[in-house]
Amino acid sequence: MTTPLATLAPAPKTESIVRHTIGTLWASALYFFAVTLSGVLIARMLGVTGRGQASAVTLIPLIIAYAGELGVPVATGYLVGTGVSDPTRVKATARTLGLGLSVVLTVIGVIVVDIAPLQPRLKLLTIFFCLFISLNIFQRIGLAILQ
């Protein structure tokens, strides 16, 4: 016996979709602004000869963010998309986990940067870039909810 698709999951409310879309676009815009600003700062601080060092400054925090997200955005997208769980609770849990992961991963990023064999001015710049780990995580959670 088959069940019509309309009865499996309730249709999302338009205002909820708009609110999440605006939230995701806002996080994406902040992330884009942060990356652009840090790129300009890196280029100005390092000059022409520091191109490889600029990669280290940006890659260390990004690798930590992607490796440490523990599948939260993917799980959020799956649970919201399939309707297995209450979407409101899934989103709240994802945001709470994202906040906790942001704090932990930022601390880990600062420790890794401190251990890394970088010049002192590069360490300071990389620590500054570690502060944007949380934007990366929340942007990915928001995009997963929209999918």
Side-chain angles (χ1 to χ4, degrees):
M1 181 184 229
T2 61
T3 305
L5 290 177
T7 61
L8 291 178
K13 296 180 181 177
T14 305
E15 62 270 3
S16 175
I17 292 172
V18 170
R19 190 176 72 243
H20 289 299
T21 302
I22 291 171
T24 300
L25 290 174
W26 179 246
S28 297
L30 280 174
Y31 184 74
F32 177 74
F33 176 74
V35 169
T36 304
L37 178 66
S38 65
V40 170
L41 288 174
I42 289 168
R44 294 289 180 200
M45 289 178 74
L46 298 178
V48 179
T49 59
R51 290 165 69 185
Q53 295 168 342
S55 296
V57 167
T58 57
L59 282 177
I60 290 172
L62 286 176
I63 289 171
I64 290 171
Y66 280 106
E69 70 184 16
L70 302 175
V72 171
V74 175
T76 303
Y78 173 78
L79 291 174
V80 169
T82 60
V84 173
S85 300
D86 177 29
T88 306
R89 292 179 71 190
V90 171
K91 294 171 198 171
T93 302
R95 289 186 183 116
T96 304
L97 288 172
L99 184 63
L101 283 172
S102 296
V103 171
V104 170
L105 293 176
T106 301
V107 170
I108 289 172
V110 170
I111 292 170
V112 167
V113 169
D114 191 42
I115 295 171
L118 295 172
Q119 298 171 3
R121 66 183 178 152
L122 290 178
K123 284 188 179 191
L124 181 63
L125 196 56
T126 310
I127 288 171
F128 173 73
F129 199 74
C130 283
L131 298 175
F132 298 104
I133 288 174
S134 61
L135 284 176
N136 188 355
I137 290 173
F138 282 109
Q139 176 197 25
R140 291 185 38 84
I141 289 172
L143 287 174
I145 290 171
L146 286 176
Q147 291 177 356

